[in-house]
Amino acid sequence: MQNLLFIISGLVLLIAGGNWLLKSAVALSLKLNIPKIVIGMTVVSFATSAPELIVSINSAIEGYPDLALGNVVGSNIANLGLVLGITVLLGSIDVNRSFYKTDWPVMMLASVLFCGFIYFDGELQQYEGIIMVVLLFLFLVYLLRFQKTAVVDELPEDDVELPLYKTVLFLGLGGVALWGGSELLINGAVGMAMKYGISERVIAITVVSIGTSIPELAASIIAVIKKEKAISLGNLMGSNIFNLLAVLGITSIITPVKVVDEGLLSNDIFWMLGISFLVLPLVFIPKGLRLGWRDGMILVGVYVVFIFFTIR
């Protein structure tokens, strides 16, 4: 009963947090005259990646490396298969050119870099974490300095320029609500899963990763409902980049992270690479620079197959 209460409370906090975070993101884009897709890939992505960061650092320090790694790998798979899939099932997304010029290539580079670091020796070393964090910093500098305004706002009349204190308040409330909601959801879900004797890696790659992807799902669904689709797609791409470069980068700088369950290397990382690559052809086929409900069905279908082969 307590675990169920944690899960319900967590979901309520996550939905509220996603709404507050989106308000602050839109207000920031107006105040600073920054493209919304840049805000989505920085402020929103960092806030929605905070649960993964907290979970991964705590897991690694407390001696549960598979939980730290599986959480991020599973979350990246869930972001694209589950979150993006559900998002485009609810409403099609017209994709900006920055997707194939910047966002997707950087996400794939981060994915391949992580897999290269972890595959051959089964461990993320401190110097590898430093490389990942430096790459993230360079990417953010590029975004903030060189990304041009190329996002068409579908409902510009809905944009409200909030006072600075309200923007900061919504940003803070959103971040805290997402963090607290994710903590409650994870505690409840893991508590229920442990009753069935499921392994640490499987819990991480399924229950925990879905739990920590709920903020992205909440923020993206709210973004679609409010027609802020640039933030929706930018948030998901940015979140995957942050998960790999910031979450695992910072975690491995604090303490090296070693693979315990070989299933992560023989199965999970290849699913992550595969679904990350799959997004590119889906964006261009059948209609260029657009994701529709058929693409959503494919992504959700791939995610269901992944979960099936992971827990069987």
Side-chain angles (χ1 to χ4, degrees):
M1 185 64 188
Q2 186 186 33
N3 288 328
L4 184 62
L5 187 62
F6 280 170
I7 291 171
I8 294 169
S9 301
L11 286 171
V12 171
L13 275 175
L14 290 167
I15 292 168
N19 196 19
W20 290 329
L21 203 63
L22 190 67
K23 281 185 179 179
S24 66
V26 173
L28 272 174
S29 69
L30 288 168
K31 195 173 291 289
L32 302 177
N33 198 27
I34 295 173
K36 286 180 183 174
I37 198 160
V38 177
I39 292 291
M41 294 191 69
T42 53
V43 177
V44 179
S45 297
F46 190 78
T48 54
S49 289
E52 284 91 339
L53 181 60
I54 295 164
V55 169
S56 292
I57 290 175
N58 287 343
S59 301
I61 290 173
E62 291 173 16
Y64 302 107
D66 276 352
L67 197 60
L69 291 167
N71 168 42
V72 169
V73 172
S75 186
N76 276 23
I77 297 169
N79 280 350
L80 297 178
L82 186 66
V83 179
L84 182 59
I86 290 174
T87 301
V88 296
L89 278 173
L90 293 174
S92 60
I93 294 177
D94 290 316
V95 180
N96 188 265
R97 289 180 180 176
S98 64
F99 166 82
Y100 65 83
K101 288 183 175 179
T102 307
D103 309 341
W104 184 85
V106 173
M107 183 182 71
M108 283 305 301
L109 174 64
S111 301
V112 171
L113 185 69
F114 159 69
C115 291
F117 282 160
I118 200 82
Y119 186 76
F120 295 102
D121 61 359
E123 187 172 7
L124 266 186
Q125 305 281 358
Q126 190 175 44
Y127 77 91
E128 293 169 335
I130 292 170
I131 292 171
M132 293 166 85
V133 171
V134 168
L135 183 60
L136 176 68
F137 176 76
L138 293 174
F139 171 59
L140 292 179
V141 169
Y142 168 79
L143 271 185
L144 295 172
R145 291 193 63 181
F146 303 112
Q147 183 107 340
K148 304 299 182 184
T149 304
V151 176
V152 176
D153 189 3
E154 296 183 21
L155 292 174
E157 67 277 6
D158 283 0
D159 295 345
V160 179
E161 189 164 356
L162 300 172
L164 183 59
Y165 80 92
K166 278 193 176 181
T167 303
V168 174
L169 179 64
F170 280 132
L171 187 61
L173 284 174
V176 170
L178 287 170
W179 173 78
S182 293
E183 285 291 295
L184 286 170
L185 186 69
I186 291 162
N187 288 338
V190 171
M192 292 182 77
M194 290 294 282
K195 287 184 179 180
Y196 299 98
I198 302 170
S199 75
E200 181 187 318
R201 168 187 152 256
V202 172
I203 289 173
I205 214 83
T206 55
V207 178
V208 177
S209 65
I210 291 172
T212 54
S213 289
I214 291 291
E216 284 87 349
L217 181 59
S220 294
I221 288 175
I222 291 165
V224 167
I225 291 170
K226 296 195 172 184
K227 305 296 183 184
E228 299 290 352
K229 295 180 183 179
I231 290 179
S232 174
L233 186 60
N235 169 45
L236 293 176
M237 297 289 106
S239 185
N240 276 18
I241 294 166
F242 268 80
N243 283 348
L244 292 166
L245 300 183
V247 175
L248 289 181
I250 292 169
T251 301
S252 58
I253 288 172
I254 294 170
T255 177
V257 187
K258 191 170 185 177
V259 175
V260 176
D261 189 332
E262 290 296 319
L264 190 88
L265 300 179
S266 62
N267 182 70
D268 305 340
I269 61 172
F270 293 106
W271 277 97
M272 184 186 75
L273 284 173
I275 201 163
S276 297
F277 180 80
L278 178 63
V279 176
L280 185 67
L282 289 181
V283 164
F284 288 101
I285 302 170
K287 294 181 180 179
L289 294 177
R290 187 177 179 85
L291 286 170
W293 65 270
R294 292 181 185 85
D295 304 309
M297 289 184 68
I298 292 170
L299 289 168
V300 173
V302 169
Y303 187 73
V304 169
V305 172
F306 161 70
I307 292 295
F308 173 77
F309 280 106
T310 300
I311 63 177
R312 73 185 178 92

